[in-house]
Amino acid sequence: MVLKVEESAVHSLPPPTIPASTPLGYESDCLTISAFVNRPALGILPPENFPDKLIESLLSIAPSGMTRVQTMACGSCSNENAFKTMFIWYRNKERGYAIPSEQEVGTCMINQSPGCPDLSILSFMGAFHGRTLGCLATTHSKVIHKLDIPSFDWPIAPFPKLQYPLEEFVRENAQEEARCLEEAEDLIVKWRQKGKPVAGIVIEPIQAEGGDNHASPDFFIKLRNIARKHGCAFHVDEVQTGGGTTGKFWAHEHWGLDDPADVVSFSKKLLTGGYYHRDELQPDKPYRIFNTWMGDPSKNLFLSELLNVIRRENLLEEVMRSGKTLLQGLYALQVRPSPFLSSHD
Amino acid sequence: MVLKVEESAVHSLPPPTIPASTPLGYESDCLTISAFVNRPALGILPPENFPDKLIESLLSIAPSGMTRVQTMACGSCSNENAFKTMFIWYRNKERGYAIPSEQEVGTCMINQSPGCPDLSILSFMGAFHGRTLGCLATTHSKVIHKLDIPSFDWPIAPFPKLQYPLEEFVRENAQEEARCLEEAEDLIVKWRQKGKPVAGIVIEPIQAEGGDNHASPDFFIKLRNIARKHGCAFHVDEVQTGGGTTGKFWAHEHWGLDDPADVVSFSKKLLTGGYYHRDELQPDKPYRIFNTWMGDPSKNLFLSELLNVIRRENLLEEVMRSGKTLLQGLYALQVRPSPFLSSHD
């Protein structure tokens, strides 16, 4: 077998070689599949064509207002790093973009404030944002995820519990959403008062793991405004909802906002993890958001092809059409129940 | 193009399909590369041959005493889930393997103790264990990793600072290692007293990111015994050191122990992330350790081939041989300095 080293990789190989992730080095003649086996450390040594590949793939479907994308390997890492991006942005605002104090630099190495500040992320009851320790502090869907794992004292707001059919409970549902928004805003004020300011709000456009829970566009629009009013970043977690199953590529597009969020994270159907963010949330220095692999460029190649298929076959329209048919069928069953179905609370 | 769905995948497709990670479903006829694009959710729907592939690859290089392996996508996720495994194990011991109390079940959903207990992981100054929030609480190598990110109040012991050449500082280095061990043990006692018991100790066999810091086998053997004495799990992080660069496949093999650790995590050169653990640390229920992808079976295929190369070409012996040559060259330079080199503190 013959090694095919990408020329671009050789040309840009820096003196300190990529961090411990090239198992045979570039000299082995035993593996033809170097592009996969010698997977680049994307943050240091991206393939020469990687920016173009990002433009073709992830940036071609960027949510409104989002100009930057950071790839990651999975949904949990995406949300963890999205949270870090919000914390860094929030602290930079707090310190007026000055360089960190000696006290901050000294304390951060030993996990103490102010270097490791007591910031928090506001999440919603029933939410699922992943299972690594940072994500898990914002996940509240099932006991099996949470039990026995240390967590952060971060605020948790109620997610609206809507009553159906929606048209019969217009007033009740509006009241329920108003109650949840008020509680969310109260928590932001309370956590600021107790010295753990909310740097960001994280929410799913549809709670999936927590039980297929929906809220109106009006709820999300008002929540986005609460975030803005209190200087918190607004993070929409589309790990479950992104990729077209709602009839739009991103579920938050149903809200109709030009500036729907500060951060949108993704994974699963997108084949690569990662998150988009607004320009303003770009960290002030390189290496503040980093890991060895930062995703996998081979997954981006698959995503480009996947997007071609979705476009060529008008799959979003197809989802809209078949979704309507399914919904009409369910409504019909509701009026004229099938003898094969029974109701279930 | 023709879709090639693996028959095994179709046969075992469960009614609730894999969680939101199959972008076109199994019916699309547009992608030939289904094995990659329709990447399985390994925890639910592994390829039929996956256990055999694990035996060929990861389990064939399992550290002494380790019978189980859990794959993950990257080094940070590996360590995060290794920590979770230790927390679950520790709490199960504490509650005498009884079912969790109602209070535990209730409090865990809102991030509060006892459901989310105040447990800690003891780490070492200079350590690098990753950059997600749990890992980052055990990382203490560079300010750029830590600044502005909230953390846990977990204990941090000093890592030995040895003086070189080793044979000239035998007594001083032994004292230095004894000091660090004493401090580690003191911290375990202190953190238990302040209600944040140490569930696990995490350490690298060689600190890499923190500055190429070494300690003697005796240090690690004694630390492993301190962990055992205090009922803490002992986690050896081989993300940087695993894969053969020390002349043994795992750096901890240089300690010569039959039972070197409770958990050994890996990533980077292994091409897939993950961790081994002893039988005793197997979580009591499925889904306690889980994410959508749990690694990527395609990486295991590459690893099998990589291991074949390492064996066929006796690369571990080669590393030993060339390492000795390099070291002798460095010693020679020390005695007879080159005019092209200057000393540097």
Side-chain angles (χ1 to χ4, degrees), chain A residues 30 80 84 95 111 115 131 133 137 146 148 268 290 292 296 299 313, chain B residues 30 80 84 95 111 115 131 133 137 146 148 268 290 292 296 299 313:
Chain A
C30 294
E80 289 273 339
K84 286 173 63 176
R95 69 165 74 89
N111 298 11
R131 290 157 160 266
L133 268 66
K146 301 274 293 178
D148 298 340
K268 295 192 189 266
F290 188 78
T292 295
D296 183 340
K299 304 297 180 199
E313 304 201 357
Chain B
C30 294
E80 290 274 340
K84 286 173 62 175
R95 69 165 74 90
N111 298 12
R131 290 158 160 265
L133 269 66
K146 301 273 293 178
D148 297 341
K268 296 191 187 267
F290 188 79
T292 296
D296 182 340
K299 304 296 180 199
E313 305 201 356

PDB file of all heavy atoms in Angstrom, chain A residues 30 80 84 95 111 115 131 133 137 146 148 268 290 292 296 299 313, chain B residues 30 80 84 95 111 115 131 133 137 146 148 268 290 292 296 299 313:
ATOM      1  N   CYS A  30       2.111   2.531   4.986  1.00  0.00           N
ATOM      2  CA  CYS A  30       1.209   1.386   5.182  1.00  0.00           C
ATOM      3  C   CYS A  30      -0.265   1.707   5.088  1.00  0.00           C
ATOM      4  O   CYS A  30      -1.089   0.809   5.121  1.00  0.00           O
ATOM      5  CB  CYS A  30       1.476   0.740   6.519  1.00  0.00           C
ATOM      6  SG  CYS A  30       3.094  -0.004   6.559  1.00  0.00           S
ATOM      7  N   GLU A  80     -21.211  22.466  25.014  1.00  0.00           N
ATOM      8  CA  GLU A  80     -20.187  22.864  25.996  1.00  0.00           C
ATOM      9  C   GLU A  80     -19.401  24.075  25.483  1.00  0.00           C
ATOM     10  O   GLU A  80     -19.172  25.040  26.202  1.00  0.00           O
ATOM     11  CB  GLU A  80     -19.191  21.716  26.247  1.00  0.00           C
ATOM     12  CG  GLU A  80     -19.743  20.533  27.011  1.00  0.00           C
ATOM     13  CD  GLU A  80     -19.660  20.671  28.531  1.00  0.00           C
ATOM     14  OE1 GLU A  80     -18.864  21.464  29.027  1.00  0.00           O
ATOM     15  OE2 GLU A  80     -20.439  19.952  29.198  1.00  0.00           O
ATOM     16  N   LYS A  84     -19.139  28.012  26.649  1.00  0.00           N
ATOM     17  CA  LYS A  84     -17.867  28.693  26.902  1.00  0.00           C
ATOM     18  C   LYS A  84     -17.785  30.003  26.116  1.00  0.00           C
ATOM     19  O   LYS A  84     -17.320  31.021  26.625  1.00  0.00           O
ATOM     20  CB  LYS A  84     -16.692  27.777  26.536  1.00  0.00           C
ATOM     21  CG  LYS A  84     -16.468  26.651  27.535  1.00  0.00           C
ATOM     22  CD  LYS A  84     -15.418  25.654  27.075  1.00  0.00           C
ATOM     23  CE  LYS A  84     -14.049  26.290  26.926  1.00  0.00           C
ATOM     24  NZ  LYS A  84     -13.026  25.269  26.580  1.00  0.00           N
ATOM     25  N   ARG A  95     -15.654  43.192  31.947  1.00  0.00           N
ATOM     26  CA  ARG A  95     -14.373  43.851  32.245  1.00  0.00           C
ATOM     27  C   ARG A  95     -14.062  44.955  31.233  1.00  0.00           C
ATOM     28  O   ARG A  95     -12.942  45.470  31.207  1.00  0.00           O
ATOM     29  CB  ARG A  95     -13.230  42.836  32.341  1.00  0.00           C
ATOM     30  CG  ARG A  95     -12.804  42.165  31.062  1.00  0.00           C
ATOM     31  CD  ARG A  95     -11.441  41.467  31.183  1.00  0.00           C
ATOM     32  NE  ARG A  95     -11.469  40.242  31.937  1.00  0.00           N
ATOM     33  CZ  ARG A  95     -11.705  39.026  31.437  1.00  0.00           C
ATOM     34  NH1 ARG A  95     -11.940  38.875  30.137  1.00  0.00           N
ATOM     35  NH2 ARG A  95     -11.698  37.982  32.190  1.00  0.00           N
ATOM     36  N   ASN A 111      -9.390  27.091  39.808  1.00  0.00           N
ATOM     37  CA  ASN A 111     -10.858  26.951  39.732  1.00  0.00           C
ATOM     38  C   ASN A 111     -11.616  27.999  40.550  1.00  0.00           C
ATOM     39  O   ASN A 111     -12.808  27.807  40.817  1.00  0.00           O
ATOM     40  CB  ASN A 111     -11.318  25.562  40.210  1.00  0.00           C
ATOM     41  CG  ASN A 111     -10.792  24.426  39.369  1.00  0.00           C
ATOM     42  OD1 ASN A 111      -9.915  24.617  38.530  1.00  0.00           O
ATOM     43  ND2 ASN A 111     -11.333  23.240  39.568  1.00  0.00           N
ATOM     44  N   GLY A 115     -11.267  34.451  38.387  1.00  0.00           N
ATOM     45  CA  GLY A 115     -10.752  33.861  37.140  1.00  0.00           C
ATOM     46  C   GLY A 115     -11.733  32.857  36.549  1.00  0.00           C
ATOM     47  O   GLY A 115     -11.979  32.852  35.344  1.00  0.00           O
ATOM     48  N   ARG A 131     -25.016  15.530  27.912  1.00  0.00           N
ATOM     49  CA  ARG A 131     -24.742  14.774  29.132  1.00  0.00           C
ATOM     50  C   ARG A 131     -23.345  14.965  29.690  1.00  0.00           C
ATOM     51  O   ARG A 131     -22.987  14.296  30.659  1.00  0.00           O
ATOM     52  CB  ARG A 131     -24.937  13.286  28.820  1.00  0.00           C
ATOM     53  CG  ARG A 131     -26.352  12.850  28.593  1.00  0.00           C
ATOM     54  CD  ARG A 131     -26.344  11.571  27.772  1.00  0.00           C
ATOM     55  NE  ARG A 131     -27.571  10.822  27.868  1.00  0.00           N
ATOM     56  CZ  ARG A 131     -27.798   9.824  28.732  1.00  0.00           C
ATOM     57  NH1 ARG A 131     -26.871   9.455  29.582  1.00  0.00           N
ATOM     58  NH2 ARG A 131     -28.948   9.204  28.741  1.00  0.00           N
ATOM     59  N   LEU A 133     -20.653  17.373  31.786  1.00  0.00           N
ATOM     60  CA  LEU A 133     -21.054  18.032  33.026  1.00  0.00           C
ATOM     61  C   LEU A 133     -21.637  19.441  32.843  1.00  0.00           C
ATOM     62  O   LEU A 133     -22.583  19.801  33.545  1.00  0.00           O
ATOM     63  CB  LEU A 133     -19.896  18.033  34.048  1.00  0.00           C
ATOM     64  CG  LEU A 133     -19.931  16.811  34.989  1.00  0.00           C
ATOM     65  CD1 LEU A 133     -19.690  15.503  34.262  1.00  0.00           C
ATOM     66  CD2 LEU A 133     -18.989  16.962  36.162  1.00  0.00           C
ATOM     67  N   ALA A 137     -25.866  20.262  33.391  1.00  0.00           N
ATOM     68  CA  ALA A 137     -26.410  21.251  34.328  1.00  0.00           C
ATOM     69  C   ALA A 137     -27.590  22.005  33.705  1.00  0.00           C
ATOM     70  O   ALA A 137     -28.325  22.704  34.408  1.00  0.00           O
ATOM     71  CB  ALA A 137     -25.319  22.223  34.759  1.00  0.00           C
ATOM     72  N   LYS A 146     -29.202  12.358  35.119  1.00  0.00           N
ATOM     73  CA  LYS A 146     -28.735  13.355  36.084  1.00  0.00           C
ATOM     74  C   LYS A 146     -28.210  12.766  37.396  1.00  0.00           C
ATOM     75  O   LYS A 146     -27.323  13.355  38.028  1.00  0.00           O
ATOM     76  CB  LYS A 146     -29.918  14.267  36.453  1.00  0.00           C
ATOM     77  CG  LYS A 146     -30.557  15.009  35.296  1.00  0.00           C
ATOM     78  CD  LYS A 146     -29.851  16.302  34.994  1.00  0.00           C
ATOM     79  CE  LYS A 146     -30.000  17.305  36.102  1.00  0.00           C
ATOM     80  NZ  LYS A 146     -29.246  18.549  35.769  1.00  0.00           N
ATOM     81  N   ASP A 148     -26.574  11.260  40.501  1.00  0.00           N
ATOM     82  CA  ASP A 148     -25.216  10.975  41.003  1.00  0.00           C
ATOM     83  C   ASP A 148     -24.129  11.836  40.376  1.00  0.00           C
ATOM     84  O   ASP A 148     -22.947  11.665  40.707  1.00  0.00           O
ATOM     85  CB  ASP A 148     -24.827   9.484  40.812  1.00  0.00           C
ATOM     86  CG  ASP A 148     -25.732   8.544  41.587  1.00  0.00           C
ATOM     87  OD1 ASP A 148     -26.388   9.013  42.538  1.00  0.00           O
ATOM     88  OD2 ASP A 148     -25.794   7.351  41.245  1.00  0.00           O
ATOM     89  N   LYS A 268     -26.086  15.654  15.113  1.00  0.00           N
ATOM     90  CA  LYS A 268     -27.011  14.613  14.628  1.00  0.00           C
ATOM     91  C   LYS A 268     -27.185  14.658  13.106  1.00  0.00           C
ATOM     92  O   LYS A 268     -26.278  14.286  12.371  1.00  0.00           O
ATOM     93  CB  LYS A 268     -28.360  14.757  15.341  1.00  0.00           C
ATOM     94  CG  LYS A 268     -28.233  14.471  16.858  1.00  0.00           C
ATOM     95  CD  LYS A 268     -29.586  14.339  17.502  1.00  0.00           C
ATOM     96  CE  LYS A 268     -29.491  14.273  19.003  1.00  0.00           C
ATOM     97  NZ  LYS A 268     -29.460  12.918  19.500  1.00  0.00           N
ATOM     98  N   PHE A 290     -11.129  25.439  21.620  1.00  0.00           N
ATOM     99  CA  PHE A 290     -10.214  24.561  20.898  1.00  0.00           C
ATOM    100  C   PHE A 290     -10.322  23.162  21.468  1.00  0.00           C
ATOM    101  O   PHE A 290     -10.560  22.972  22.645  1.00  0.00           O
ATOM    102  CB  PHE A 290      -8.769  25.069  21.065  1.00  0.00           C
ATOM    103  CG  PHE A 290      -7.778  24.346  20.203  1.00  0.00           C
ATOM    104  CD1 PHE A 290      -7.669  24.650  18.862  1.00  0.00           C
ATOM    105  CD2 PHE A 290      -6.968  23.338  20.731  1.00  0.00           C
ATOM    106  CE1 PHE A 290      -6.775  23.967  18.050  1.00  0.00           C
ATOM    107  CE2 PHE A 290      -6.079  22.651  19.923  1.00  0.00           C
ATOM    108  CZ  PHE A 290      -5.975  22.968  18.585  1.00  0.00           C
ATOM    109  N   THR A 292      -8.502  18.985  20.155  1.00  0.00           N
ATOM    110  CA  THR A 292      -7.581  18.413  19.175  1.00  0.00           C
ATOM    111  C   THR A 292      -8.218  18.292  17.800  1.00  0.00           C
ATOM    112  O   THR A 292      -7.649  18.705  16.803  1.00  0.00           O
ATOM    113  CB  THR A 292      -7.101  17.026  19.643  1.00  0.00           C
ATOM    114  OG1 THR A 292      -6.349  17.210  20.830  1.00  0.00           O
ATOM    115  CG2 THR A 292      -6.222  16.360  18.594  1.00  0.00           C
ATOM    116  N   ASP A 296     -14.545  16.828  12.305  1.00  0.00           N
ATOM    117  CA  ASP A 296     -13.911  15.862  11.407  1.00  0.00           C
ATOM    118  C   ASP A 296     -14.238  16.297   9.982  1.00  0.00           C
ATOM    119  O   ASP A 296     -15.398  16.263   9.567  1.00  0.00           O
ATOM    120  CB  ASP A 296     -14.513  14.477  11.709  1.00  0.00           C
ATOM    121  CG  ASP A 296     -13.894  13.353  10.897  1.00  0.00           C
ATOM    122  OD1 ASP A 296     -13.282  13.653   9.844  1.00  0.00           O
ATOM    123  OD2 ASP A 296     -14.050  12.193  11.307  1.00  0.00           O
ATOM    124  N   LYS A 299     -16.687  14.478   7.729  1.00  0.00           N
ATOM    125  CA  LYS A 299     -18.136  14.610   7.951  1.00  0.00           C
ATOM    126  C   LYS A 299     -18.694  15.793   7.155  1.00  0.00           C
ATOM    127  O   LYS A 299     -19.844  15.773   6.723  1.00  0.00           O
ATOM    128  CB  LYS A 299     -18.451  14.800   9.431  1.00  0.00           C
ATOM    129  CG  LYS A 299     -17.924  13.718  10.343  1.00  0.00           C
ATOM    130  CD  LYS A 299     -18.534  12.354  10.067  1.00  0.00           C
ATOM    131  CE  LYS A 299     -17.977  11.303  11.018  1.00  0.00           C
ATOM    132  NZ  LYS A 299     -18.187   9.936  10.506  1.00  0.00           N
ATOM    133  N   GLU A 313     -33.946  17.424  -4.376  1.00  0.00           N
ATOM    134  CA  GLU A 313     -35.218  16.708  -4.275  1.00  0.00           C
ATOM    135  C   GLU A 313     -36.276  17.504  -3.509  1.00  0.00           C
ATOM    136  O   GLU A 313     -37.319  16.950  -3.153  1.00  0.00           O
ATOM    137  CB  GLU A 313     -34.976  15.352  -3.591  1.00  0.00           C
ATOM    138  CG  GLU A 313     -33.927  14.544  -4.310  1.00  0.00           C
ATOM    139  CD  GLU A 313     -34.013  13.059  -4.011  1.00  0.00           C
ATOM    140  OE1 GLU A 313     -34.861  12.656  -3.203  1.00  0.00           O
ATOM    141  OE2 GLU A 313     -33.219  12.311  -4.619  1.00  0.00           O
TER     142      GLU A 313
ATOM    143  N   CYS B  30     -29.966   7.970  -2.631  1.00  0.00           N
ATOM    144  CA  CYS B  30     -29.033   8.972  -3.142  1.00  0.00           C
ATOM    145  C   CYS B  30     -27.622   8.866  -2.597  1.00  0.00           C
ATOM    146  O   CYS B  30     -26.744   9.583  -3.044  1.00  0.00           O
ATOM    147  CB  CYS B  30     -29.554  10.362  -2.859  1.00  0.00           C
ATOM    148  SG  CYS B  30     -31.038  10.678  -3.783  1.00  0.00           S
ATOM    149  N   GLU B  80     -14.986  13.150  30.400  1.00  0.00           N
ATOM    150  CA  GLU B  80     -16.266  13.515  31.036  1.00  0.00           C
ATOM    151  C   GLU B  80     -17.030  12.254  31.442  1.00  0.00           C
ATOM    152  O   GLU B  80     -17.554  12.150  32.549  1.00  0.00           O
ATOM    153  CB  GLU B  80     -17.151  14.322  30.060  1.00  0.00           C
ATOM    154  CG  GLU B  80     -16.665  15.720  29.757  1.00  0.00           C
ATOM    155  CD  GLU B  80     -17.135  16.776  30.764  1.00  0.00           C
ATOM    156  OE1 GLU B  80     -18.120  16.540  31.488  1.00  0.00           O
ATOM    157  OE2 GLU B  80     -16.479  17.835  30.819  1.00  0.00           O
ATOM    158  N   LYS B  84     -18.046  10.570  35.054  1.00  0.00           N
ATOM    159  CA  LYS B  84     -19.418  10.172  35.406  1.00  0.00           C
ATOM    160  C   LYS B  84     -19.449   8.720  35.906  1.00  0.00           C
ATOM    161  O   LYS B  84     -20.144   8.400  36.874  1.00  0.00           O
ATOM    162  CB  LYS B  84     -20.342  10.350  34.193  1.00  0.00           C
ATOM    163  CG  LYS B  84     -20.671  11.807  33.898  1.00  0.00           C
ATOM    164  CD  LYS B  84     -21.452  11.976  32.596  1.00  0.00           C
ATOM    165  CE  LYS B  84     -22.785  11.286  32.638  1.00  0.00           C
ATOM    166  NZ  LYS B  84     -23.574  11.561  31.396  1.00  0.00           N
ATOM    167  N   ARG B  95     -24.538   4.432  48.851  1.00  0.00           N
ATOM    168  CA  ARG B  95     -25.915   4.084  49.219  1.00  0.00           C
ATOM    169  C   ARG B  95     -26.112   2.571  49.371  1.00  0.00           C
ATOM    170  O   ARG B  95     -27.234   2.096  49.470  1.00  0.00           O
ATOM    171  CB  ARG B  95     -26.922   4.678  48.214  1.00  0.00           C
ATOM    172  CG  ARG B  95     -26.910   4.090  46.832  1.00  0.00           C
ATOM    173  CD  ARG B  95     -28.180   4.475  46.023  1.00  0.00           C
ATOM    174  NE  ARG B  95     -28.175   5.847  45.564  1.00  0.00           N
ATOM    175  CZ  ARG B  95     -27.675   6.263  44.400  1.00  0.00           C
ATOM    176  NH1 ARG B  95     -27.129   5.421  43.562  1.00  0.00           N
ATOM    177  NH2 ARG B  95     -27.732   7.527  44.062  1.00  0.00           N
ATOM    178  N   ASN B 111     -30.625  19.966  39.838  1.00  0.00           N
ATOM    179  CA  ASN B 111     -29.181  20.179  40.058  1.00  0.00           C
ATOM    180  C   ASN B 111     -28.788  20.229  41.527  1.00  0.00           C
ATOM    181  O   ASN B 111     -27.692  20.698  41.843  1.00  0.00           O
ATOM    182  CB  ASN B 111     -28.694  21.490  39.406  1.00  0.00           C
ATOM    183  CG  ASN B 111     -28.845  21.523  37.894  1.00  0.00           C
ATOM    184  OD1 ASN B 111     -29.511  20.674  37.315  1.00  0.00           O
ATOM    185  ND2 ASN B 111     -28.210  22.496  37.260  1.00  0.00           N
ATOM    186  N   GLY B 115     -29.341  14.396  45.034  1.00  0.00           N
ATOM    187  CA  GLY B 115     -29.448  13.772  43.703  1.00  0.00           C
ATOM    188  C   GLY B 115     -28.245  14.085  42.833  1.00  0.00           C
ATOM    189  O   GLY B 115     -27.698  13.210  42.154  1.00  0.00           O
ATOM    190  N   ARG B 131     -11.251  20.241  27.837  1.00  0.00           N
ATOM    191  CA  ARG B 131     -11.715  21.614  27.932  1.00  0.00           C
ATOM    192  C   ARG B 131     -13.221  21.765  28.061  1.00  0.00           C
ATOM    193  O   ARG B 131     -13.724  22.881  28.041  1.00  0.00           O
ATOM    194  CB  ARG B 131     -11.267  22.363  26.677  1.00  0.00           C
ATOM    195  CG  ARG B 131      -9.790  22.623  26.572  1.00  0.00           C
ATOM    196  CD  ARG B 131      -9.445  22.843  25.097  1.00  0.00           C
ATOM    197  NE  ARG B 131      -8.186  23.533  24.914  1.00  0.00           N
ATOM    198  CZ  ARG B 131      -8.073  24.850  24.748  1.00  0.00           C
ATOM    199  NH1 ARG B 131      -9.128  25.615  24.742  1.00  0.00           N
ATOM    200  NH2 ARG B 131      -6.888  25.390  24.572  1.00  0.00           N
ATOM    201  N   LEU B 133     -16.621  21.468  30.482  1.00  0.00           N
ATOM    202  CA  LEU B 133     -16.637  22.037  31.832  1.00  0.00           C
ATOM    203  C   LEU B 133     -16.192  21.075  32.934  1.00  0.00           C
ATOM    204  O   LEU B 133     -15.493  21.485  33.867  1.00  0.00           O
ATOM    205  CB  LEU B 133     -17.996  22.674  32.155  1.00  0.00           C
ATOM    206  CG  LEU B 133     -18.057  24.182  31.791  1.00  0.00           C
ATOM    207  CD1 LEU B 133     -17.952  24.425  30.311  1.00  0.00           C
ATOM    208  CD2 LEU B 133     -19.274  24.845  32.375  1.00  0.00           C
ATOM    209  N   ALA B 137     -12.367  21.468  34.945  1.00  0.00           N
ATOM    210  CA  ALA B 137     -12.196  21.606  36.396  1.00  0.00           C
ATOM    211  C   ALA B 137     -10.996  20.796  36.886  1.00  0.00           C
ATOM    212  O   ALA B 137     -10.542  20.972  38.017  1.00  0.00           O
ATOM    213  CB  ALA B 137     -13.464  21.170  37.123  1.00  0.00           C
ATOM    214  N   LYS B 146      -8.659  28.234  30.833  1.00  0.00           N
ATOM    215  CA  LYS B 146      -9.470  28.272  32.054  1.00  0.00           C
ATOM    216  C   LYS B 146     -10.235  29.580  32.263  1.00  0.00           C
ATOM    217  O   LYS B 146     -11.314  29.582  32.859  1.00  0.00           O
ATOM    218  CB  LYS B 146      -8.538  28.104  33.266  1.00  0.00           C
ATOM    219  CG  LYS B 146      -7.726  26.823  33.290  1.00  0.00           C
ATOM    220  CD  LYS B 146      -8.466  25.683  33.922  1.00  0.00           C
ATOM    221  CE  LYS B 146      -8.692  25.899  35.402  1.00  0.00           C
ATOM    222  NZ  LYS B 146      -9.473  24.775  35.970  1.00  0.00           N
ATOM    223  N   ASP B 148     -12.397  32.707  32.590  1.00  0.00           N
ATOM    224  CA  ASP B 148     -13.790  33.108  32.325  1.00  0.00           C
ATOM    225  C   ASP B 148     -14.780  31.950  32.327  1.00  0.00           C
ATOM    226  O   ASP B 148     -15.981  32.175  32.085  1.00  0.00           O
ATOM    227  CB  ASP B 148     -13.924  33.875  30.988  1.00  0.00           C
ATOM    228  CG  ASP B 148     -13.149  35.175  30.978  1.00  0.00           C
ATOM    229  OD1 ASP B 148     -12.805  35.671  32.070  1.00  0.00           O
ATOM    230  OD2 ASP B 148     -12.878  35.702  29.876  1.00  0.00           O
ATOM    231  N   LYS B 268      -6.973  10.591  20.531  1.00  0.00           N
ATOM    232  CA  LYS B 268      -5.853  11.003  19.681  1.00  0.00           C
ATOM    233  C   LYS B 268      -5.305   9.857  18.826  1.00  0.00           C
ATOM    234  O   LYS B 268      -5.937   9.450  17.869  1.00  0.00           O
ATOM    235  CB  LYS B 268      -4.749  11.632  20.541  1.00  0.00           C
ATOM    236  CG  LYS B 268      -5.226  12.938  21.225  1.00  0.00           C
ATOM    237  CD  LYS B 268      -4.080  13.668  21.833  1.00  0.00           C
ATOM    238  CE  LYS B 268      -4.513  14.858  22.659  1.00  0.00           C
ATOM    239  NZ  LYS B 268      -4.524  16.102  21.920  1.00  0.00           N
ATOM    240  N   PHE B 290     -24.169   7.457  28.067  1.00  0.00           N
ATOM    241  CA  PHE B 290     -24.758   7.376  26.736  1.00  0.00           C
ATOM    242  C   PHE B 290     -24.629   8.726  26.040  1.00  0.00           C
ATOM    243  O   PHE B 290     -24.670   9.759  26.685  1.00  0.00           O
ATOM    244  CB  PHE B 290     -26.251   7.001  26.852  1.00  0.00           C
ATOM    245  CG  PHE B 290     -26.897   6.702  25.525  1.00  0.00           C
ATOM    246  CD1 PHE B 290     -26.700   5.475  24.923  1.00  0.00           C
ATOM    247  CD2 PHE B 290     -27.665   7.654  24.882  1.00  0.00           C
ATOM    248  CE1 PHE B 290     -27.271   5.200  23.690  1.00  0.00           C
ATOM    249  CE2 PHE B 290     -28.240   7.389  23.648  1.00  0.00           C
ATOM    250  CZ  PHE B 290     -28.046   6.162  23.049  1.00  0.00           C
ATOM    251  N   THR B 292     -25.555  10.202  21.639  1.00  0.00           N
ATOM    252  CA  THR B 292     -26.128   9.721  20.373  1.00  0.00           C
ATOM    253  C   THR B 292     -25.157   8.833  19.612  1.00  0.00           C
ATOM    254  O   THR B 292     -25.500   7.742  19.178  1.00  0.00           O
ATOM    255  CB  THR B 292     -26.539  10.909  19.495  1.00  0.00           C
ATOM    256  OG1 THR B 292     -27.574  11.609  20.162  1.00  0.00           O
ATOM    257  CG2 THR B 292     -27.044  10.436  18.139  1.00  0.00           C
ATOM    258  N   ASP B 296     -17.526   6.345  16.788  1.00  0.00           N
ATOM    259  CA  ASP B 296     -17.787   6.224  15.348  1.00  0.00           C
ATOM    260  C   ASP B 296     -17.157   4.902  14.912  1.00  0.00           C
ATOM    261  O   ASP B 296     -15.936   4.752  14.916  1.00  0.00           O
ATOM    262  CB  ASP B 296     -17.111   7.406  14.639  1.00  0.00           C
ATOM    263  CG  ASP B 296     -17.352   7.430  13.153  1.00  0.00           C
ATOM    264  OD1 ASP B 296     -17.708   6.383  12.575  1.00  0.00           O
ATOM    265  OD2 ASP B 296     -17.167   8.505  12.553  1.00  0.00           O
ATOM    266  N   LYS B 299     -14.021   4.649  12.795  1.00  0.00           N
ATOM    267  CA  LYS B 299     -12.701   4.902  13.391  1.00  0.00           C
ATOM    268  C   LYS B 299     -12.106   3.606  13.951  1.00  0.00           C
ATOM    269  O   LYS B 299     -10.891   3.429  13.956  1.00  0.00           O
ATOM    270  CB  LYS B 299     -12.797   5.941  14.507  1.00  0.00           C
ATOM    271  CG  LYS B 299     -13.408   7.271  14.099  1.00  0.00           C
ATOM    272  CD  LYS B 299     -12.591   8.013  13.064  1.00  0.00           C
ATOM    273  CE  LYS B 299     -13.225   9.341  12.687  1.00  0.00           C
ATOM    274  NZ  LYS B 299     -12.726   9.862  11.402  1.00  0.00           N
ATOM    275  N   GLU B 313       5.247  -4.370  12.073  1.00  0.00           N
ATOM    276  CA  GLU B 313       6.526  -3.681  11.924  1.00  0.00           C
ATOM    277  C   GLU B 313       7.254  -3.514  13.260  1.00  0.00           C
ATOM    278  O   GLU B 313       8.227  -2.757  13.325  1.00  0.00           O
ATOM    279  CB  GLU B 313       6.284  -2.328  11.255  1.00  0.00           C
ATOM    280  CG  GLU B 313       5.537  -2.481   9.945  1.00  0.00           C
ATOM    281  CD  GLU B 313       5.727  -1.292   9.031  1.00  0.00           C
ATOM    282  OE1 GLU B 313       6.381  -0.308   9.440  1.00  0.00           O
ATOM    283  OE2 GLU B 313       5.224  -1.360   7.899  1.00  0.00           O
TER     284      GLU B 313
END
